[in-house]
Amino acid sequence: MNVKTYIAIFLCALAAVSCSDDKKIGVKIDNDMIEIGAEGGTRNIWISADDQWVASTNDPWITISPANGRGSAVCQIIIDSALLDEPRQGMVRIQNQNNWEERHDISVSQQGFDYAITLDNPEITIANYAALGERTFDVRVKTNVDFDIEIPDEAQSWIQPEEYKVDLNRGLRPREVTLRFNWEINSRDTERNATITFKPRKEVTLAAQDGLSVHQNASDPIDVGTRAGDSVALLSIARALNMWQSWETSESMNNWSNVELWEKDMPGCTDDMVGRVKYARFYMFETKEGIPFEVQYLTAAEELIFYSNTNSNRFSLSTGEHITKLPNLKRLTISAYGLTELDPSFKNLKSLEFLDLSGNNFEEIPSVLTKENLPNLHALKMNANQRIIIYDLYNSTTTNFGGLFEETSSLREFPRRLLEWDKLDTLILSVNYLQGRIPDMKDYTTYTQADINAADSLPQALVGIPKVLPNIKRFSINLNRLTGELPEWLLRHPALDWWDPFTLVFTQEGKDKDGKTAGFTNEPINLNDYYEFYEGKKYLDPNRKTE
């Protein structure tokens, strides 16, 4: 083979090698830049290769899948959501595994999160009424900043948020927080509206901020001042109280049990009151709230009774203001209900003559109960207000046990303002935790000669003795923790023998907070001395046979 032949073969081989090198592609990518929002996500990169390749990054917030391969493939670049409000930069490198000099860099740019407080639903409509456990609504808030809930002053009486916590353990990544709000019944015939705002607890600029608009439907109209309106009010009150047995709507209100209607010939009845509710009794029910708002529509009512609430000893309720809007109300019983306070507007019941608050949980006698606020009241019953029965107050560590305990816990003296309520003819305070002495009232008004001259039964010796509760006929303070001496005004009271004092006055029990055994040091053995003082009185022996 000659030289020319060798040269021709070499050139052909060289051409073949050159042709083969032109077909080899190495590693290539279709994009060298990724831009993504703060929420993060996935981007696909197409890798063209005829060799082995490796993908890598030094940024912990970037993940690559797959991280290596042979030949062409789709590589996923997974970017985490941002943690801060500032943008960040990262990089992904694709390299030929057999030739590290051959590489391609992909820049990754991610925006930071803007501060924002947004709502899934910025507008809520609620009913005017629902049962107690159903008066709530939930709101989902998406946020990356802690916030306070701001409710307008005029709406704070009917919207209250429950406790909540914004957990920002993921930096500025928005978190979804579910807030629960409680709402109150709308007793008005107009819609209520409020705009709730969410205010950041630190100084930031919000890119988005939603407010919550709350609309509450108006109350169903009640034809106030009519018989029909009264019937609707009665049924609504029974519903709100969860009364065990309500009235049959198909029956005439004339036939409803525990309901009395005004009739034309009744004393005090006017033409517009005929057929309306004069008296109603609500009993055996289960509520955790004050007197329902519908009671305010019973404007012709003269007497109302509420008693026997399930588990009443567990509650600390107020009457609410609605019961105080009844101008004709004369007799009111709220017994075994769970009360610990009367609404301040209770003073508006100027016509009230009889008030029974027995069997509740009062720690003290409400300050609103004064002769000035209730000028026509002549009978007050607040017996058996013991939430918990305690025999020895000295050894007790329990608190809030009712029984009017706080009324005498500091002064250790029977409430003087009740003894100065001259118009009272009935005062029942039995079975409570009243402590200390009964005041002697020596600085109070005394009987005068004019009083003796005006009454045949009053002895001359009564002059100068304090004239305490001069109209009282029923006085019951037994089974308290009273101690000390019985004052002269009590032992010489004109009505003492009517009170059955050995049962309803003198008898005390247990020990008071000072460790003293309850009872009086000068309790009389009998009433012989009393009848000697009142020479004109005759002992009424119940066993004596009448002639």
Side-chain angles (χ1 to χ4, degrees):
M1 185 178 297
N2 57 28
V3 174
K4 291 182 178 180
T5 302
Y6 277 113
I7 292 173
I9 294 172
F10 176 76
L11 292 174
C12 287
L14 184 63
V17 172
S18 175
C19 181
S20 175
D21 287 344
D22 289 342
K23 292 181 180 179
K24 186 175 181 179
I25 61 175
V27 177
K28 295 183 179 180
I29 59 176
D30 65 345
N31 190 5
D32 62 358
M33 180 179 294
I34 294 175
E35 294 182 349
I36 197 167
E39 68 280 359
T42 301
R43 296 292 185 268
N44 293 329
I45 299 295
W46 175 256
I47 299 176
S48 301
D50 58 5
D51 208 342
Q52 291 180 317
W53 52 268
V54 175
S56 62
T57 181
N58 291 325
D59 299 296
W61 48 278
I62 299 175
T63 303
I64 306 167
S65 179
N68 57 71
R70 178 188 292 274
S72 299
V74 175
C75 184
Q76 289 187 333
I77 310 299
I78 305 167
I79 298 116
D80 291 346
S81 63
L83 296 175
L84 303 174
D85 58 343
E86 299 176 352
R88 59 184 176 180
Q89 304 293 324
M91 187 187 72
V92 174
R93 175 166 288 177
I94 310 295
Q95 292 179 287
N96 188 331
Q97 190 170 348
N98 296 316
N99 181 7
W100 294 109
E101 296 297 324
E102 184 181 356
R103 62 176 182 263
H104 301 280
D105 291 338
I106 304 169
S107 66
V108 180
S109 300
Q110 184 179 33
Q111 296 295 320
F113 274 113
D114 291 326
Y115 286 102
I117 302 174
T118 59
L119 308 178
D120 282 357
N121 184 7
E123 190 165 340
I124 295 288
T125 299
I126 55 179
N128 75 292
Y129 174 86
L132 179 60
E134 300 173 5
R135 294 202 290 270
T136 63
F137 64 85
D138 292 340
V139 177
R140 288 186 294 180
V141 180
K142 196 171 185 179
T143 183
N144 56 1
V145 59
D146 202 359
F147 57 81
D148 291 316
I149 298 174
E150 294 190 343
I151 298 176
D153 292 343
E154 63 274 13
Q156 291 180 10
S157 62
W158 59 279
I159 302 177
Q160 304 90 30
E162 293 188 0
E163 291 187 8
Y164 66 96
K165 181 180 181 181
V166 180
D167 189 353
L168 298 176
N169 60 354
R170 297 184 182 180
L172 291 187
R173 298 176 189 175
R175 301 298 305 274
E176 190 172 88
V177 181
T178 299
L179 306 179
R180 171 155 291 184
F181 292 84
N182 297 304
W183 53 270
E184 300 296 332
I185 296 170
N186 183 9
S187 61
R188 301 181 299 181
D189 58 0
T190 56
E191 184 181 87
R192 293 197 290 204
N193 298 284
T195 299
I196 298 173
T197 56
F198 305 92
K199 182 179 179 180
R201 290 182 175 174
K202 63 180 182 178
E203 290 293 331
V204 297
T205 300
L206 294 176
Q209 183 179 21
D210 290 340
L212 176 65
S213 296
V214 182
H215 311 284
Q216 184 174 36
N217 296 332
S219 175
D220 296 332
I222 292 180
D223 193 4
V224 182
T226 66
R227 174 189 174 97
D230 282 5
S231 65
V232 173
L234 288 177
L235 294 170
S236 299
I237 294 169
R239 176 190 66 176
L241 290 174
N242 294 311
M243 238 171 82
W244 295 7
Q245 184 176 2
S246 186
W247 295 283
E248 178 55 57
T249 56
S250 61
E251 286 279 341
S252 168
M253 193 163 55
N254 296 72
N255 299 325
W256 288 5
S257 60
N258 301 308
V259 175
E260 182 182 355
L261 307 181
W262 283 101
E263 296 179 7
K264 188 174 183 179
D265 297 332
M266 289 181 173
C269 182
T270 59
D271 291 341
D272 60 335
M273 295 168 64
V274 175
R276 296 193 60 199
V277 172
K278 177 185 180 185
Y279 160 89
R281 182 178 70 164
F282 305 88
Y283 69 104
M284 297 182 69
F285 47 79
E286 185 173 1
T287 184
K288 297 178 182 178
E289 298 183 285
I291 307 300
F293 73 88
E294 293 92 346
V295 73
Q296 65 187 310
Y297 302 124
L298 300 176
T299 53
E302 191 175 70
E303 180 175 6
L304 294 175
I305 296 176
F306 301 85
Y307 77 94
S308 191
N309 186 15
T310 302
N311 297 322
S312 61
N313 65 315
R314 299 181 182 179
F315 305 136
S316 298
L317 304 178
S318 171
T319 56
E321 62 177 339
H322 307 296
I323 190 70
T324 70
K325 298 178 180 180
L326 304 180
N328 296 314
L329 194 63
K330 293 183 178 181
R331 298 176 61 86
L332 175 61
T333 296
I334 311 176
S335 179
Y337 196 100
L339 296 180
T340 55
E341 64 177 281
L342 302 181
D343 192 87
S345 59
F346 215 80
K347 63 183 179 181
N348 296 331
L349 293 174
K350 300 300 183 184
S351 298
L352 198 63
E353 299 176 0
F354 172 91
L355 179 60
D356 183 354
L357 299 173
S358 59
N360 285 291
N361 305 321
F362 288 98
E363 284 279 290
E364 56 187 344
I365 299 169
S367 59
V368 73
L369 294 183
T370 67
K371 61 182 180 181
E372 292 79 17
N373 288 336
L374 302 174
N376 289 303
L377 192 73
H378 63 79
L380 176 61
K381 296 180 65 177
M382 291 194 70
N383 56 295
N385 271 267
Q386 296 174 336
R387 188 195 293 265
I388 301 171
I389 297 176
I390 300 173
Y391 184 79
D392 188 347
L393 299 179
Y394 182 73
N395 288 324
S396 173
T397 58
T398 305
T399 60
N400 191 24
F401 46 76
L404 308 181
F405 171 75
E406 291 297 332
E407 185 67 34
T408 55
S409 63
S410 58
L411 291 180
R412 301 289 199 273
E413 183 177 88
F414 189 91
R416 183 184 177 99
R417 74 178 189 276
L418 295 184
L419 300 179
E420 295 176 350
W421 203 327
D422 296 344
K423 196 166 186 175
L424 290 181
D425 60 36
T426 300
L427 180 58
I428 309 296
L429 296 171
S430 301
V431 196
N432 285 303
Y433 295 125
L434 296 173
Q435 306 177 71
R437 68 186 188 92
I438 300 175
D440 57 31
M441 306 295 285
K442 288 183 178 180
D443 57 347
Y444 193 60
T445 304
T446 61
Y447 284 95
T448 65
Q449 187 61 50
D451 294 323
I452 306 303
N453 296 338
D456 296 337
S457 59
L458 298 182
Q460 186 68 35
L462 198 59
V463 174
I465 292 177
K467 190 179 179 180
V468 180
L469 297 173
N471 296 301
I472 205 78
K473 299 296 186 294
R474 294 184 62 194
F475 184 64
S476 179
I477 57 172
N478 62 306
L479 301 182
N480 278 283
R481 304 297 186 271
L482 296 170
T483 55
E485 289 191 356
L486 290 165
E488 183 181 26
W489 70 261
L490 190 149
L491 293 174
R492 295 289 184 253
H493 197 284
L496 177 65
D497 56 343
W498 298 351
W499 299 344
D500 187 11
F502 290 99
T503 303
L504 301 178
V505 177
F506 302 151
T507 306
Q508 304 295 308
E509 70 171 356
K511 293 184 178 181
D512 68 8
K513 198 65 177 177
D514 299 323
K516 297 178 182 178
T517 299
F520 302 107
T521 58
N522 60 338
E523 177 184 334
I525 298 175
N526 52 49
L527 292 183
N528 290 345
D529 180 66
Y530 177 78
Y531 285 118
E532 289 180 6
F533 186 80
Y534 286 90
E535 296 178 358
K537 282 200 171 190
K538 294 182 178 179
Y539 173 62
L540 301 179
D541 186 349
N543 298 317
R544 181 181 176 184
K545 295 182 180 179
T546 57
E547 297 180 359

